[in-house]
Amino acid sequence: MDEFFSPLTQITVNVFPLWVVLMICAGVFLASLMDAIAGGGGIISVPTYLIVFAGLPAHYALGTNKLSSAVGTMFSTGRFIRQGYVDWRLFAPAAIFSLLGAVGGTWLQLHTPDVVLKYLLLVVLPVVAVVTLRNHNWPDETAAMQFSRRAAVVWAASLIIGAYDGYYGPGTGTFLMLIFIRLGKMDTRHAAGGVKVINLASNIGSLFTALTAGTVYVAVGLIAAIASILGHYLGAGLAIKNGSRIVQPTVILVLMLLTVKVGSELLFPSFWK
C-alpha cells in the first residue's frame, strides 16, 4: 500500500495555512450537507479544492475531493441503511449497473468531446428545474408498483446515469433522485437511500483509482473528511426527518448550481483544467 501514498505523504497539512484548511473544510461541509440531501455536492467541493490547489494539476483536487467525499458518503449511507430506507433487492444490482455504466461513460469520454454534452445540458437543466419547481407533489410514501417495473426503471437509470457520471459527472445523484421518484414511484427517503448506495459504490471505485495514481493529498483529504462526515450525517438526518419538504428545494438549488457550473466551464474552461 505504500505506493498508494507516495509522494502523498511528503505533503503535510503544514504546507497549507490554517485559513486554507478551514476554507477547504467549510466548502466540503456545505457540499456534503447538500450531497446527503439531494446529491450534487461536487458542484461546491470541487471548485473549493481547485481554488486551494491552484497551480497544481486538477487531478490532485479531484482525487483529494474523492477521499473526503467517499468517507462522508459512508456515514450518510449508513444512516439511511440503519433507518431501513435501502431496499437491497433493488439497489445492490443498481450499484453494479452504475459501475458498468461509469466504465462505459469513461471510455466514451476518451473518444468524444464533452463540449457537446455541456451545450445539451445548458438546454436541458433549466427545463428540468422548471418542471421540478412546478410539481409540488413529491411523495413521502412509495406508490404501488410491480417490483419488476420498478427494478427496470431503477436499473436502467443506474446504467444510463452511471454512464453520464463516467462521461461528465456533476449532478449524478440529483438526476437519479428525480428518476427514482418520478418514474420509479418511490418515496423521497427510499429514493435518497438508494442514491447514497450507488454514489458510495462509484466514490469508492474512483477513490481507489486516484490512490493508485498517486493523486490524493491524504493528510488534507482526511482532515476534510471530518467536515464531510459532519455534513453528510446532518444532511441525511434532515432528509430523513423532513422528506420532500427539504429534498425538493435542495434539488432545485443543485440544478441551478449545475447550470452555472456548465456555463462557467464553457466560458472559462481554463479554471476547470
Side-chain angles (χ1 to χ4, degrees):
M1 292 291 290
D2 289 344
E3 64 270 21
F4 288 171
F5 298 94
S6 179
L8 309 179
T9 51
Q10 300 173 16
I11 308 296
T12 66
V13 181
N14 293 331
V15 174
F16 298 93
L18 177 61
W19 71 269
V20 170
V21 176
L22 293 176
M23 175 182 172
I24 293 174
C25 289
V28 167
F29 171 77
L30 291 174
S32 301
L33 185 71
M34 183 173 74
D35 196 63
I37 296 172
I43 300 171
I44 295 177
S45 62
V46 170
T48 300
Y49 277 109
L50 286 172
I51 292 171
V52 171
F53 291 172
L56 296 173
H59 300 299
Y60 287 87
L62 298 174
T64 307
N65 176 66
K66 281 299 178 185
L67 175 56
S68 58
S69 176
V71 174
T73 302
M74 290 180 187
F75 280 79
S76 59
T77 304
R79 192 161 189 184
F80 277 103
I81 292 173
R82 285 196 302 272
Q83 294 293 324
Y85 290 119
V86 175
D87 183 345
W88 289 110
R89 191 165 60 139
L90 264 181
F91 290 109
I96 296 174
F97 280 115
S98 179
L99 287 174
L100 292 174
V103 171
T106 301
W107 179 88
L108 187 63
Q109 183 198 50
L110 297 175
H111 295 82
T112 58
D114 64 355
V115 67
V116 176
L117 178 62
K118 292 176 184 177
Y119 279 116
L120 179 62
L121 283 172
L122 279 181
V123 176
V124 172
L125 286 171
V127 175
V128 175
V130 170
V131 171
T132 304
L133 187 61
R134 290 182 62 183
N135 194 327
H136 300 290
N137 298 319
W138 278 48
D140 283 322
E141 293 185 5
T142 297
M145 188 177 188
Q146 287 185 344
F147 177 82
S148 58
R149 292 181 59 189
R150 179 171 287 129
V153 169
V154 169
W155 296 347
S158 299
L159 181 66
I160 295 170
I161 303 301
Y164 164 80
D165 192 23
Y167 189 90
Y168 183 57
T172 296
T174 306
F175 292 140
L176 286 172
M177 178 88 71
L178 288 170
I179 294 173
F180 293 167
I181 291 174
R182 292 297 168 212
L183 301 182
K185 305 298 182 183
M186 301 181 66
D187 69 89
T188 305
R189 296 174 179 86
H190 281 89
V195 168
K196 289 295 103 187
V197 171
I198 294 172
N199 278 347
L200 179 59
S202 62
N203 279 342
I204 290 175
S206 298
L207 175 59
F208 180 80
T209 302
L211 286 170
T212 304
T215 57
V216 181
Y217 290 145
V218 175
V220 176
L222 288 177
I223 289 179
I226 298 174
S228 181
I229 290 170
L230 181 59
H232 271 279
Y233 189 82
L234 292 176
L238 288 172
I240 291 170
K241 181 178 180 180
N242 297 285
S244 61
R245 287 182 297 171
I246 191 170
V247 174
Q248 184 178 16
T250 307
V251 165
I252 296 296
L253 175 62
V254 171
L255 293 173
M256 293 172 61
L257 290 175
L258 183 53
T259 302
V260 172
K261 181 182 186 300
V262 173
S264 67
E265 285 183 337
L266 293 172
L267 294 173
F268 309 105
S270 60
F271 175 78
W272 300 94
K273 295 186 180 296

